[in-house]
Amino acid sequence: MLIHSIIIRMKNYEKTGYLQEPFRLFHLKDNVRQEISLHYHDFYKIIVFYTGTVTYMVEGKSYLLKPGDIVLVNRNHIHKPTIDDSVPYERTIFYISGECLESCRSEGYDPFFCFTQAAEKKDYVLRVEDFLKTEAGGILAAMESGGERYGWQAERLLLFQLFLLAVNRICQGGEQEAKICPPAVYHQKIIDAMTYLSEHIFEEISVDDLADAVYMSKYHLMRQFKKETGYTIHKYLTEKRIMAAKEMLLAGQPATSVSEVCGFLDYSTFLRAFRGSVGMTPTDFAASRKGRNSGGGQNLR
């Protein structure tokens, strides 16, 4: 398998905050020497893990990765890796815009299926026996071994579409190779709390209401939620509302109505929260993103 390894430093990536192309591919091998914070993106992400000692957390569930694991991260899903920097961390990462996925849709084929299934089952990692020998592994090798031959960009796009199809086939159970969802470490009550918040995201929810819903004491829930997710309950709910607000703004809805729909007490509260999360006003955000593929990212982990 011919691979062009690219070492990309964090300071270089932080200069670019948006996904301008339909998708981007990175093959990285490095020793990460800083802690990565919990974060989310406006785009979808697929990670194929090769080497290292990495625990990947997605939406409150943590997985100790093994070579060949496929990590599926939906847009707006909160995630982070915990990396042992004593050994090299090697992975291939795809950043994929929603528009790119939608363009792959055809009769009888839903390109979002792998992400939708991961969200519904709350299983965010696929473990495939001998990944490099699978259809998806072969296509990925071809994508990473391409050069400057005539028509390569067109070929690369086609290979990406085939890779995505192959991953969805794995999720459908269409390959002979064994596919399992590896065990995750998580606190079931906190997963229940996160699910409850997602289902009632625009409603007025108190910590007392949430504690009653998941049968935990208020203060134990607050401590455990912070421990498991890295967020306070209020901060988590606010971030989820801001994510939804961004989608509505990009769809053309006015900021004042978005504020009301998303459950903020008043527009000034929404404006303050939005600025704190996004770094600009809702109106400026909508204007700045016109004509762009969605996708804000913080790192390549």
Side-chain angles (χ1 to χ4, degrees):
M1 177 178 178
L2 299 176
I3 296 175
H4 300 292
S5 293
I6 306 170
I7 307 302
I8 299 180
R9 296 184 183 274
M10 285 288 291
K11 63 181 182 181
N12 293 333
Y13 178 64
E14 288 172 350
K15 296 177 182 177
T16 61
Y18 297 98
L19 180 63
Q20 302 289 349
E21 312 94 316
F23 75 92
R24 294 183 72 184
L25 181 154
F26 309 88
H27 188 105
L28 306 171
K29 185 176 182 180
D30 53 22
N31 291 76
V32 180
R33 299 192 181 278
Q34 68 181 94
E35 183 175 349
I36 308 302
S37 61
L38 284 159
H39 62 284
Y40 61 90
H41 305 289
D42 291 344
F43 48 81
Y44 298 81
K45 181 157 72 170
I46 296 176
I47 303 166
V48 179
F49 175 74
Y50 302 117
T51 62
T53 304
V54 177
T55 299
Y56 218 98
M57 192 275 275
V58 185
E59 289 289 298
K61 287 193 170 184
S62 296
Y63 303 83
L64 179 60
L65 298 184
K66 291 187 177 182
D69 280 356
I70 302 171
V71 185
L72 300 167
V73 182
N74 274 265
R75 68 191 309 175
N76 296 333
H77 271 188
I78 294 169
H79 60 282
K80 63 166 284 187
T82 300
I83 304 161
D84 178 355
D85 63 12
S86 67
V87 292
Y89 172 27
E90 184 175 5
R91 68 275 188 202
T92 293
I93 305 174
F94 285 90
Y95 285 171
I96 313 164
S97 73
E99 293 84 354
C100 178
L101 287 171
E102 187 60 45
S103 71
C104 297
R105 188 187 297 276
S106 63
E107 185 176 355
Y109 171 53
D110 176 10
F112 293 88
F113 177 79
C114 57
F115 297 105
T116 303
Q117 183 186 71
E120 289 177 350
K121 293 187 175 182
K122 295 182 172 58
D123 288 322
Y124 305 103
V125 175
L126 298 174
R127 183 155 292 162
V128 184
E129 191 175 307
D130 293 327
F131 169 78
L132 296 178
K133 296 180 180 179
T134 66
E135 178 186 15
I139 295 167
L140 182 54
M143 289 190 72
E144 295 188 320
S145 62
E148 300 300 323
R149 60 180 178 270
Y150 176 73
W152 168 242
Q153 289 303 317
E155 181 182 348
R156 186 170 177 266
L157 178 59
L158 292 172
L159 286 170
F160 166 73
Q161 293 171 345
L162 290 172
F163 171 77
L164 181 63
L165 175 59
V167 171
N168 276 298
R169 282 176 173 161
I170 291 172
C171 292
Q172 287 277 9
E175 287 213 5
Q176 292 182 354
E177 290 79 4
K179 179 266 295 185
I180 62 171
C181 295
V185 176
Y186 60 95
H187 191 296
Q188 184 59 55
K189 292 287 188 181
I190 301 306
I191 297 299
D192 292 344
M194 295 168 72
T195 300
Y196 183 89
L197 290 173
S198 295
E199 292 175 347
H200 301 271
I201 184 173
F202 300 142
E203 301 173 20
E204 185 175 344
I205 305 172
S206 70
V207 178
D208 289 315
D209 292 336
L210 184 60
D212 289 342
V214 299
Y215 305 104
M216 289 182 72
S217 73
K218 173 181 176 178
Y219 296 106
H220 181 49
L221 171 62
M222 293 169 65
R223 288 192 298 271
Q224 199 67 40
F225 196 96
K226 173 71 173 180
K227 178 182 177 181
E228 296 292 326
T229 70
Y231 287 83
T232 65
I233 294 170
H234 174 73
K235 178 64 173 175
Y236 180 84
L237 183 58
T238 299
E239 287 293 331
K240 287 292 185 178
R241 287 175 172 173
I242 293 297
M243 294 175 198
K246 289 162 71 176
E247 299 286 342
M248 295 178 192
L249 290 166
L250 292 176
Q253 295 187 38
T256 50
S257 65
V258 168
S259 169
E260 184 176 352
V261 169
C262 289
F264 290 91
L265 294 176
D266 50 52
Y267 185 74
S268 62
T269 302
F270 171 59
L271 181 62
R272 187 166 55 251
F274 197 95
R275 275 178 170 163
S277 177
V278 183
M280 64 181 77
T281 68
T283 303
D284 288 343
F285 169 79
S288 71
R289 299 294 290 279
K290 284 183 178 178
R292 289 183 173 181
N293 290 322
S294 62
Q298 296 184 32
N299 57 57
L300 288 163
R301 308 306 173 195

